[in-house]
Amino acid sequence: MWYIPIFQRFRQLLQPRRRLAIFEACLIGLVSALAAVLLKSGVGLLGAWRVQTSVLLPAWFVLPGIGLALGFLAGWLVERVAPETSGSGIPQVKAVLARIPIALDLRVALVKLVGGILALGSGLALGREGPTVQVSAALAAQLSRWFPTSPDHRRQLIAAGAGAGLAAAFNTPIAGVLFIVEELLQDFSEFTLGTAILASFIGAVVSRLLGGRSLDLNLALTASKTEFFVQDIPFYLVLGVLAGLMGALFNRGIIASLTVYRRSLRFGLPARVALAGLVSGIIVALLPLAFRDNTGLREILITGEASWSMAAIAFISQFILTLVAYGSGVPGGLFAPALTLGAALGYLVGMGEHSLLLPFGIATGLPITYALAGMGAFFTAVARVPITGIIIVFEMTTDFNLVLPLMIGCATSYLVAEKLAPGSLYDKLLAWNGITIEKAAPAGGIMTNLTAKDVMQQQVETLDTEMPLDEVMQAFARSHHRGFPVVEDSKLVGIVTQSDLLNIRDRNLANDTPLRQIMTTTPMSVTPIHSLSNVLYLLDRYQISRLPVLDGRKLIGIITRGDIIRAEADHLNGENATPRLRPEPSYVVYQTRSPSIGSGRLLVPVANPETAGILLEMAAAIARDRHYEIDCVQVMLIPRHSSPSETEVRTAKSRRLLRQAEVLAKKWQIPLHTQIRVTHDVAQAILETINEQHIDLILMGWKGSTSTPGRLFGDVVDSVIRQASCEVVLVKLGTTPHSPVQTRLIASVPTPHSFNRWLIPMAGGPNSRLAIKLLPALVTLGNDPQIRLAQVFKPSELKPDMSVSEQAIRQLMRRRKLSSTVVALPVQADSVAEGVINLVKTEGYDVVVLGASHEGLLQHAIQGNIPEAIASGVESTVILVRGAINK
């Protein structure tokens, strides 16, 4: 195009960088002022037409009709063109400044401008200040694309645009700057303040010159009527307390309104906004004429022309109308409603003081002083920006008599609101939409800002109290650890270290001496909320290298000096926490509950009716052996663009499968709980179930192969293996002719000849011992089962050491009375996988049970070791076992 060379040449003339920054700040202030005036004029013209029409025609017909029609148009425009413009706009700007990927450009600015004019002109009880902030920030973001700059400078320009928008909307340049540094960026650097001050000044000046005043008041008249006396101080404290209480309630009401609209009224955005316009129009039609103009209503309150009954009606009606409007998702802000509510509340307190003290001849401040102070106090309680709340009212009135009342009211309301409901409303709105802004730890403060839970190792190798001494010695020999936590019934009861083993060398203890006689029974530990400085103090104080992390008595991790050093190194390298978009959680659409009488819980995800039966039989065998309850979950996947809590799904087929599971559980006399979850991610739903239901063991099916690049067991199973804190049992059902997979349905009776010949490769790791513990329960699925414990040796080994298998046999016989025959079997092969696969194929074993080493099932499979290679190489049923990592 012809203008591109001219534009590029003009841009080159603006260097160096500082001159360009000054020009950009001035340009941002100018366009922000123009946008503010355009939005104010558009809303004013449309609102005046609405009020005039309601006078000429029946208000009960005009006001709801206009609200319905214009609300639908505004909602349709937002939903179709720019969904990011829904709501106030300030939370979206704050998210962008925190580097959350949300669109902010010219498209957003235009849709917010037009949508705001339509929505606010329809009579909805919201303000234009929030939309003005988003429009100005979007225009600044667009300018930063036309004048390419660094990401940090772009953030400062967007913040300057937001401040200029607020300054132009209220004619308050100082408040615009303070809002940036107090709420949006929290940055006091020279460049941020410079661009913000310049843009806010230009925005306020141009807006005032063009007549874009926020409150069309006679400020001289207002100033002459404001008074402040010492005896008023207790009543301003009361005003601050009431504003804090009602502000906290208002914030909760906003979140509740959004929830009701989104989850109870399953309409599209146009229908929700139209409904809000219709309801608002009906309510306003029943109120006095002054309530049809929100700005005019606020002026009546702060000029002292209202009665106490009118102020009370104004507070109640505006409170309700704001919740009705904002929850629909309409493009509108909360600044103006907060100021109106504060004015009504302050007016009521002022009239209350007047009626109490006047009979005693005590001089009192006028209600309008309380109304203006109430504006700042209520605004502070909602937005949690006390300095901005003080300055914004002072700048709008230029009345020094208000400074002390504003300081008392704003400080008190802030403290009360923060005590009742901590956090800014804008942060809560972002959190409600699944966006969490995490603040990085301050420089040099990592030792006090990070906790043990942040850096601990969640994968913990533990030993059992009944483990014999010789197995303990082997565990130390195989591992690089110098100590192990000792658990009993998933609770930490002690710790054993190399020092403990050295101390018993002269005691001549037998090899089968249980670990409980050797361990240290009262180990030092920390909680998840201990700071790193406290952890490091304990490590130095007691001269130890590691500390268990306990939640109650439950072992959830372990922290070492190395973990603290790595955290400090990450901090120095700049790897701090960054904002992240939190995925929407799964949603339970159906569930049943049985009596909770078990000592633990076992989770079985079911999907395929042809394999669900045998998985449930295995789960029942384990549950009977351990006295567990069974949780059966069916997961339904939906598209990413749909909300799990809002999407309608058909659950009839899933419920039939779960009811069949309930029939089997009743037959086995095992408590069974069922649920159906709707989710974007199957693995996420399973992990949420594990955490919510406190699952001790999960039993999952696996098809035996995956086509997903970089995945060993498939997306879902890989994620569960990596992240699940409980024990994991992974089952690949066999395809041999005598396997029940292809011939049984869930309602069928068990097949007795499918699980007779069992092979357990022994490596001696903790998960191998877990496999041995599961074996007595699983072999009950067969008829006269035969168990072989195989140890693989290199062909060069002339005399293989069978001690690991012999210890396992003793463990089986010691802990369970088995009718099965158990034989230790030496196997010569170049690799474990090759030896086991050949043995299965030549001797026809029905089931292979594999326990990974202490490095974990998935990590071992990644390195090409036993589990995945064997599971993929045989046609028999393969059971992979991984121990709990948080216990």
Side-chain angles (χ1 to χ4, degrees), residues 782-798:
N783 182 21
D784 190 22
Q786 301 174 11
I787 302 173
R788 300 291 183 266
L789 306 182
Q791 275 191 258
V792 179
F793 303 95
K794 295 287 186 180
S796 58
E797 295 186 43
L798 299 178

Side-chain angles (χ1 to χ4, degrees), residues 392-680:
I392 199 170
V393 177
F394 171 72
E395 282 193 287
M396 287 192 297
T397 60
T398 64
D399 185 358
F400 281 94
N401 287 333
L402 287 172
V403 173
L404 288 178
L406 281 170
M407 293 178 69
I408 296 171
C410 291
T412 306
S413 68
Y414 174 80
L415 294 174
V416 172
E418 193 67 15
K419 181 69 174 178
L420 294 176
S424 165
L425 175 61
Y426 303 120
D427 290 333
K428 293 178 181 178
L429 290 172
L430 288 172
W432 188 86
N433 284 291
I435 298 174
T436 302
I437 298 178
E438 298 178 352
K439 296 181 177 66
I446 188 171
M447 298 300 291
T448 57
N449 286 280
L450 288 184
T451 63
K453 186 177 181 180
D454 296 326
V455 301
M456 70 183 185
Q457 302 174 37
Q458 293 185 339
Q459 182 169 340
V460 184
E461 183 178 347
T462 62
L463 302 181
D464 189 82
T465 55
E466 298 300 326
M467 179 179 289
L469 176 58
D470 55 352
E471 292 187 28
V472 174
M473 300 288 285
Q474 290 185 17
F476 274 95
R478 290 190 303 268
S479 173
H480 64 278
H481 297 312
R482 292 183 292 175
F484 294 95
V486 184
V487 297
E488 184 176 50
D489 296 329
S490 304
K491 303 296 188 296
L492 180 73
V493 295
I495 192 168
V496 60
T497 65
Q498 291 179 348
S499 299
D500 296 323
L501 298 182
L502 292 174
N503 292 335
I504 64 170
R505 285 185 302 178
D506 300 329
R507 294 171 56 183
N508 296 323
L509 297 177
N511 287 339
D512 59 352
T513 302
L515 180 54
R516 67 168 59 253
Q517 297 182 17
I518 307 169
M519 68 184 186
T520 302
T521 55
T522 56
M524 181 63 60
S525 63
V526 294
T527 66
I529 61 173
H530 267 79
S531 67
L532 293 191
S533 60
N534 289 335
V535 174
L536 191 58
Y537 167 76
L538 292 175
L539 291 173
D540 290 336
R541 172 68 176 80
Y542 295 99
Q543 291 298 301
I544 51 182
S545 58
R546 60 185 45 78
L547 281 169
V549 183
L550 301 184
D551 187 358
R553 287 190 61 195
K554 181 180 179 182
L555 178 67
I556 64 171
I558 195 164
I559 185 169
T560 68
R561 294 177 186 269
D563 298 325
I564 298 175
I565 293 171
R566 281 190 292 272
E568 184 68 26
D570 290 343
H571 174 70
L572 294 175
N573 290 332
E575 298 178 9
N576 294 322
T578 56
R580 57 184 173 85
L581 188 63
R582 188 174 63 207
E584 189 168 358
S586 61
Y587 187 72
V588 179
V589 295
Y590 171 85
Q591 66 177 351
T592 63
R593 286 287 175 263
S594 295
S596 183
I597 57 177
S599 60
R601 304 189 78 148
L602 187 155
L603 177 64
V604 185
V606 294
N608 186 355
E610 295 184 357
T611 59
I614 193 60
L615 291 177
L616 285 170
E617 286 180 24
M618 290 183 177
I622 299 173
R624 281 194 297 265
D625 182 69
R626 297 191 177 189
H627 306 290
Y628 277 6
E629 305 163 23
I630 297 178
D631 282 74
C632 197
V633 62
Q634 171 90 40
V635 179
M636 305 184 72
L637 200 61
I638 61 171
R640 288 280 178 182
H641 60 78
S642 302
S643 171
S645 61
E646 299 176 9
T647 304
E648 294 185 3
V649 293
R650 296 182 179 180
T651 61
K653 184 177 179 181
S654 298
R655 290 202 305 269
R656 283 197 298 270
L657 183 60
L658 295 179
R659 280 195 293 266
Q660 290 173 333
E662 291 174 343
V663 171
L664 291 179
K666 185 176 182 181
K667 173 184 174 182
W668 297 325
Q669 296 183 342
I670 296 175
L672 183 133
H673 318 282
T674 68
Q675 61 178 233
I676 301 174
R677 285 180 176 259
V678 181
T679 185
H680 295 146

Side-chain angles (χ1 to χ4, degrees), residues 35-48:
V37 172
L38 184 58
L39 180 60
K40 179 181 184 296
S41 301
V43 172
L45 291 173
L46 199 56

